[in-house]
Amino acid sequence: MKGVNFFFLMIAFILGITLFRQFNFETMSFKDPALSVIYLVTFVFSIFILIKDFIKRPKK
């Protein structure tokens, strides 16, 4: 049985925390928008890989 891909799990966790810290809730904007877009794209990609691997998991 295949386990969770810890590499993409750690990337998603770190980027999620980073995006949360960079977001200013008072002005509803990011501190550095260009860098936040790169973080967001990578975050979404890592979540996509995790979901894809979870769905492909063989059933017993």
Side-chain angles (χ1 to χ4, degrees), residues 15-59:
L15 288 176
I17 290 173
T18 304
L19 283 170
F20 183 75
R21 287 184 180 170
Q22 284 199 356
F23 190 72
N24 186 351
F25 288 98
E26 292 176 2
T27 61
M28 299 300 266
S29 63
F30 287 101
K31 293 178 185 173
D32 188 9
L35 189 59
S36 296
V37 168
I38 295 171
Y39 287 159
L40 185 63
V41 168
T42 309
F43 177 74
V44 169
F45 177 73
S46 63
I47 295 295
F48 172 75
I49 295 295
L50 287 171
I51 292 172
K52 187 179 86 167
D53 286 347
F54 184 75
I55 291 173
K56 274 186 166 181
R57 185 180 296 180
K59 305 201 183 211

